Each structure stands twice: as structure tokens, then as C-alpha cells.
Amino acid sequence: MTRERAGAAEAMIQLDAGGAPQLTPVRILVVEDEPFIRHAIAEELRELGACVAEAASANEAWDFLAAGGVVDLVFTDHQMPGSMTGAQLAARVRALHPAVQIIVTSGNFNAREWAGPVLGKPYPPSETAARLVEMAVEARKNGMG
Amino acid sequence: MMAMSNPTVLLVEGDIVIRHPLAEYLRDCGFTVFEAASGHEAMLALANQDQRIDVVLADMTTPGSGFALGQWIQTQNRSVEVILAGTVEKAVDRAGSICNEGPALAKPYEHHLVLDHIRQALGRRDRGGGKV
């Protein structure tokens, strides 16, 4: 599934059948139960050329990954409906796939499960999207090494 | 008057394994897609007059969706086309129909490929597999 977009989020990471490097967009999973916040950050990321999957809960995000969804970065809210918090999702993904970048976002974060990056809420969508794409590109490069 | 932005599809589907590839297909057809994981999320989107929505494509089995959502939309002051789909096959088929009438000049790929992708992903999930 390809689409012509701005190239900011593209990273040279795959070889085609003939061995030539291919530019493919970075893949970001946005996990957020508030649909307008989710849509806003996802659209900002798409504007920058990222391929974005939107999950409405940590459980849904885990479902997506269990079904074979491949991501470079997970950007997840912490407090959401369901049996799993964003911090728990982050810890599970980190344990299984250390190359994937994970950022938890919360207005009031106090969970012990996650000691990695946390972004306070509310966040500016445009600047945040640009930073997330940078991190996803970095994660992609590290994952290739 | 010609619209200044691409038409927006509100996609209501409670299963991310189905919703994501369907949404990506519609985006590749040139639409903006607002994803709703429940009928409640769909109602929030539709109740916001600032949120453009031209077509609602809703799975009938998603909680709060289906006929209840369709009837609720009729009570709202919104001019939208509502399409209800009872199965994943029907949803993909209707997405293909929307794509044919969409803003893109050519379809990016046949919609049956989306169905194949969804079936394979559902199979991986059911087997408890998958990778990040």
C-alpha cells in the first residue's frame, strides 16, 4: 500500500528483489481513546509521510501487533478503557521488541511499569508529530543495524 | 461549489485488524478517513459540526453502530450518506464502491486484495502469532 507524500518520514531501509534500496514510510502506532486527539496527531503524522495505525485502546494496539502489524514507533496514551494501560502496553512491547521506540503520553503519569520516555498532555500536535517522525526514522535505522 | 479538501469518510469498525487496512485503502483512494472504534466515537465525530463527514461506512456488529447509529444520524442536522455493512466482505465491497466514486483518478489496487490482507491478519491473530 503506497501513497505519494512528503518524504520527511521516509527511511532507506529495504532492498527490492534486485537488491536496490527502497524508500518506505516509517510506521507509527498511535494509541489514544479520545478520537479527536487520535485523529489530529495521526493526520499530522500522515502529513509528514508516516504510515499510521490508530488504536482506541492498549488492548486494540496489542491486537494489531498480534495480527502482524509492524511498527517503528508506538505513541500511546496511558489511561484508557480496557484491561491494559498505556504503560503496561509499553512495557510489553519493549520486552518483546527492544528496537521499537515507545513514548507514553499522559496528563498525570505515575505508573511504575514504565521508566521510558513520557510526554505530558496536552501536547502540540505539529511539533510532536515532527519529533515522533524523527524518532521513528532513528528507530528504523537502529533496527536495521 | 468545488470542495477545497478531500471528502471525508467516517469509518465505524470495532476491530482494528479490519479497520486499519480498510481505512488505508480509502486513504489511498484519496479520501480523508476519520476512524471510529465504536458507535460512541462515531456519534462524537458526527455531533461535532466542525468535523467534516461526507460518508459513514459502518459495521453493523460494532457496539453502538448499525441501525441504532443510522437512526441517530437521522435525528442530526447532518447531510451524510450512510452505508451499513453486516460482514467484512460486505464492508470491503462497499469500500471498493466508494473508492470507484472517490477523488483519486485511479484505484490504487483492487479491493479484494484488502480482503485477502484482512483474512491473513485475522488468521495470524487467531493463531496467537504476529510480530512487531
Side-chain angles (χ1 to χ4, degrees), chain A residues 34-54:
Chain A
E34 209 294 311
F36 292 107
I37 296 176
R38 187 177 70 231
H39 182 69
I41 188 68
E43 287 294 294
E44 291 281 355
L45 291 165
R46 291 187 183 106
E47 283 293 316
L48 294 174
C51 179
V52 184
E54 299 181 35

Side-chain angles (χ1 to χ4, degrees), chain B residues 105-119:
Chain B
L105 293 175
K107 287 192 292 186
Y109 36 84
E110 291 298 324
H111 64 270
H112 66 79
L113 296 176
V114 182
L115 186 58
D116 290 345
H117 175 87
I118 290 171
R119 284 174 171 156

Side-chain angles (χ1 to χ4, degrees), chain B residues 28-104:
Chain B
D28 285 343
C29 293
F31 291 96
T32 297
V33 181
F34 192 105
E35 299 184 34
S38 66
H40 175 68
E41 286 195 353
M43 287 179 182
L44 287 175
L46 287 158
N48 183 348
Q49 293 291 336
D50 293 333
Q51 176 61 54
R52 176 177 179 175
I53 292 169
D54 302 285
V55 179
V56 179
L57 175 57
D59 168 51
M60 293 182 69
T61 62
T62 294
S65 182
F67 292 123
L69 178 63
Q71 288 174 344
W72 181 83
I73 291 172
Q74 287 182 339
T75 69
Q76 303 298 300
N77 186 26
R78 298 289 301 239
S79 175
V80 295
E81 180 185 357
V82 180
I83 301 167
L84 299 178
T87 63
V88 61
E89 290 81 4
K90 195 60 143 178
V92 172
D93 191 49
R94 298 311 298 268
S97 301
I98 295 170
C99 199
N100 278 333
E101 301 162 6

